[in-house]
Amino acid sequence: MLRAAFWLTALVFLPVGLFLYFLPPTAATLLGVSPLWLARVTGGLITAWGAFLLVSSLRPDEGPVFFLAAGNLLTVAALVAPALRLQDTLPAPVRTAMLALSLALTLLAVVGLLAVPSRRGRL
């Protein structure tokens, strides 16, 4: 179950990071991204986070699970605040996608925390 939480979270972050890193200028104007370099830096960071999650899924233990949950919950905080604050200006499909992604990341963080192997089981 813990490996699935890592894999599913990585499958969220890797495509988003690669899309932002290789964001074409036409898509940047549609999304309203002003400095294109900012999207590329963000894409690089998100891609690195997804790669870290894939590597961590090979041997999940207490350390990477904390980072999985913390990263997911920080991303949720970054997505929910504008989705709730900008209800009038955000299109409904974008707001729904942001809230659905937030829900999925929250569930994966909780699954990761609940599926941590106990220390007693390793003794």
Side-chain angles (χ1 to χ4, degrees):
M1 186 70 129
L2 188 56
R3 287 180 201 261
F6 274 98
W7 272 93
L8 290 173
T9 306
L11 288 176
V12 168
F13 282 106
L14 280 174
V16 170
L18 290 172
F19 174 74
L20 287 174
Y21 188 76
F22 295 108
L23 186 68
T26 55
T29 57
L30 287 175
L31 294 175
V33 177
S34 186
L36 195 55
W37 64 267
L38 185 60
R40 299 213 193 281
V41 169
T42 305
L45 289 173
I46 292 172
T47 302
W49 177 249
F52 167 76
L53 291 173
L54 277 179
V55 171
S56 295
S57 71
L58 299 175
R59 292 195 75 187
D61 58 5
E62 293 176 15
V65 170
F66 171 76
F67 295 125
L68 168 81
N72 283 4
L73 294 177
L74 285 172
T75 305
V76 166
L79 288 174
V80 169
L84 295 178
R85 182 178 291 266
L86 304 173
Q87 288 182 357
D88 299 335
T89 58
L90 278 177
V94 173
R95 189 176 64 247
T96 303
M98 289 171 69
L99 292 174
L101 180 62
S102 298
L103 179 64
L105 289 175
T106 302
L107 289 175
L108 287 169
V110 169
V111 166
L113 288 174
L114 293 177
V116 175
S118 68
R119 290 183 177 220
R120 285 183 251 157
R122 285 189 239 155
L123 295 176

